[in-house]
Amino acid sequence: MKAEGWDVKHIRRLKKRLLLQQNIVMLFIVIFFSIYAINGWPVAHFLVLCAVVLSGIGFFALLSLWKGEPQGTKMVRTIQAYEKDVKGTQRWRRKKWMESIFIFLFVSAIIAFLIFLNHDAIQQSQQGFPGDVIPLLGAWIGMNIGSFVRIKDLRE
């Protein structure tokens, strides 16, 4: 891995700032899901919202591929440009393709779930609420562990 010409300490700070932003977003997702679960609102509405947001993320990743350069805020563009330079363009493109494919497969699964689900048979109740949040918390913890490992692996 080559990191010539890059201030790795600056990239590490940017990645930590991005992780903080991702944690704030995950906090809002957990709070929003908790409100949904506590009030017993239909799960279908939450899933449609998730599908729309994930589709936007997937199209954004495809836009990066189509233009061949990192997209997003200045911070995200800098981090992606660093990763593209260090890992190489081919590997960066492959990662973006895999990200896009995974997101669209997940959105397709959500849409299939919404189409074939018997909405009348499923009632969201408050009884399962604390346990309903455990998968989100697991994803949140996994995201943090993965980010910390990638930040620690940055070499100067």
Side-chain angles (χ1 to χ4, degrees), residues 110-121:
I110 290 174
I111 292 170
F113 183 70
L114 287 169
I115 291 171
F116 297 114
L117 177 70
N118 184 357
H119 299 284
D120 297 331

Side-chain angles (χ1 to χ4, degrees), residues 36-52:
Y36 245 77
I38 289 171
N39 290 321
W41 293 338
V43 177
H45 295 158
F46 184 74
L47 290 177
V48 167
L49 182 64
C50 288
V52 168

Side-chain angles (χ1 to χ4, degrees), residues 135-154:
L136 284 175
L137 295 177
W140 193 356
I141 291 168
M143 177 192 77
N144 279 301
I145 291 171
S147 293
F148 282 127
V149 168
R150 284 188 293 277
I151 289 170
K152 188 176 174 104
D153 284 348
L154 289 177

Side-chain angles (χ1 to χ4, degrees), residues 11-27:
I11 299 297
R12 190 174 286 135
R13 277 193 309 273
L14 290 178
K15 283 191 169 211
K16 287 178 183 177
R17 190 179 309 160
L18 182 63
L19 179 62
L20 176 65
Q21 290 176 357
Q22 291 170 340
N23 277 307
I24 291 170
V25 169
M26 282 300 291
L27 177 64

Side-chain angles (χ1 to χ4, degrees), residues 59-73 76-82 84-85 89 92-93 96:
F59 284 120
F60 197 67
L62 284 176
L63 180 65
S64 290
L65 278 169
W66 182 57
K67 289 194 170 194
E69 59 188 36
Q71 301 292 312
T73 63
V76 172
R77 284 193 317 264
T78 303
I79 292 170
Q80 286 187 4
Y82 168 79
K84 186 176 179 182
D85 188 41
T89 304
W92 180 80
R93 289 184 62 77
K96 282 294 178 187

Side-chain angles (χ1 to χ4, degrees), residues 47 50-51 54 100-112:
L47 290 177
C50 288
L54 285 173
S100 301
I101 290 169
F102 177 76
I103 289 172
F104 285 117
L105 286 175
F106 193 64
V107 168
S108 300
I110 290 174
I111 292 170

